Amino acid sequence: MLLPVIVALNVSNVLVYSATAGYRHDSIPTAISELTRRGPDYGINFINTEDMTLFNDRYLSQFDAVFFLSNTDEVLNSSGKAAFQKYLDRGGNVVGVHAATNCMLRRSCFYSSGSQFQGHPAFTNATMVVLDMIHPSTAGLPPRWNVTDEIYNFVTDPRDLGAVVVLSADESSYRDPSRGQSAQGDPHPIAWYQERHTGTNSTGLVGRSWYTGLGHAAAAWKDDVFMSHILGGLAYVLASNTTRAMNPDATVGSLGPKYTPV
């Protein structure tokens, strides 16, 4: 399958992968539409696919980041996982949103950007607490940010893998009967980053990762504050200096206007 790409110099290519093999979020089409609409203002060329066969070395090599959008269960086959592993080993960056921590759980440890989804209470109003007012993904947020979302619990503390948590949930602001079963640490992690993605085998160029547990409802993707959170996270990973958009010596990333469809 050919995917049309029109790229200008200094524009980053981001592959949005939205395939699901389990529960499918109704917000996915809205998320793709809003990312595509807003991308040019941020110098980002978003390409969306749900075709796992495009996870091959040649196709992935043109992207500065891969954006996992609310994926569930096993959404890549063995060859796709191998190609994605190679992409990470060559300096590729990765972003995960919402249910992205609930895919490829058992056989793809390299995918994890810090932890895995455990569960969540009912869709609820809750208050998020910004822990880092400077990071691009949180700089545009109020210090205490009221959201209506699914507030995820995680199996382990992402800080155990070197992640830096930039956004946490105020656990007193909502009710969650199952919260005590989680080993996610305190404060309750919601969004975090890794300067060097732990899923790579490389000792050279290592890309960045960023994840947020928010983004369940379509309405969030229409909200400017929420989108500043998402696009700020993307801006952070794209500034890694490990892909061609920023580093002429890199081996993956945007090739500018000379893109050839695969």
Side-chain angles (χ1 to χ4, degrees):
M1 180 175 70
L2 300 182
L3 293 183
V5 179
I6 301 173
V7 185
L9 288 173
N10 301 319
V11 171
S12 298
N13 284 342
V14 174
L15 180 65
V16 179
Y17 190 53
S18 54
T20 54
Y23 180 84
R24 186 169 180 86
H25 283 76
D26 293 340
S27 58
I28 289 174
T30 303
I32 294 166
S33 176
E34 286 299 308
L35 289 169
T36 303
R37 182 177 72 84
R38 296 170 188 254
D41 292 338
Y42 290 81
I44 300 174
N45 180 50
F46 288 104
I47 301 298
N48 171 239
T49 189
E50 297 194 357
D51 182 357
M52 71 170 62
T53 68
L54 291 178
F55 273 70
N56 60 68
D57 294 345
R58 186 181 176 194
Y59 192 74
L60 288 181
S61 69
Q62 70 177 316
F63 292 100
D64 299 284
V66 177
F67 186 117
F68 283 84
L69 175 61
S70 286
N71 316 89
T72 51
D73 296 345
E74 293 291 327
V75 292
L76 289 177
N77 57 22
S78 58
S79 61
K81 291 175 184 178
F84 183 52
Q85 177 72 78
K86 185 174 181 180
Y87 169 79
L88 294 175
D89 292 346
R90 295 173 68 192
N93 303 292
V94 60
V95 163
V97 170
H98 199 51
T101 46
N102 195 28
C103 73
M104 301 185 291
L105 295 182
R106 295 176 177 83
R107 287 168 282 180
S108 304
C109 295
F110 69 86
Y111 170 74
S112 174
S113 294
S115 192
Q116 298 169 355
F117 167 80
Q118 183 180 65
H120 63 78
F123 190 69
T124 187
N125 296 319
T127 300
M128 304 295 106
V129 180
V130 174
L131 303 179
D132 185 340
M133 295 297 298
I134 298 175
H135 192 269
S137 67
T138 47
L141 306 181
R144 292 181 63 82
W145 179 31
N146 296 322
V147 303
T148 304
D149 214 311
E150 290 178 340
I151 310 305
Y152 276 11
N153 295 313
F154 300 95
V155 174
T156 57
D157 188 341
R159 287 160 285 225
D160 291 344
L161 291 180
V164 179
V165 177
V166 294
L167 189 69
S168 68
D170 179 350
E171 294 182 343
S172 70
S173 67
Y174 65 100
R175 183 175 179 273
D176 182 3
S178 66
R179 182 183 298 138
Q181 302 172 16
S182 172
Q184 64 196 350
D186 182 60
H188 183 139
I190 292 294
W192 60 79
Y193 69 87
Q194 292 177 324
E195 179 66 24
R196 292 171 61 88
H197 181 63
T198 57
T200 180
N201 294 323
S202 174
T203 57
L205 285 177
V206 178
R208 293 172 170 177
S209 68
W210 180 82
Y211 171 80
T212 183
L214 302 177
H216 173 78
W221 296 89
K222 293 281 191 177
D223 180 74
D224 289 341
V225 176
F226 175 78
M227 290 304 293
S228 76
H229 178 52
I230 296 294
L231 290 164
L234 269 166
Y236 166 75
V237 301
L238 293 173
S240 66
N241 203 38
T242 62
T243 65
R244 294 185 183 111
M246 296 286 181
N247 186 342
D249 296 325
T251 58
V252 296
S254 174
L255 292 171
K258 298 181 181 180
Y259 170 76
T260 302
V262 177

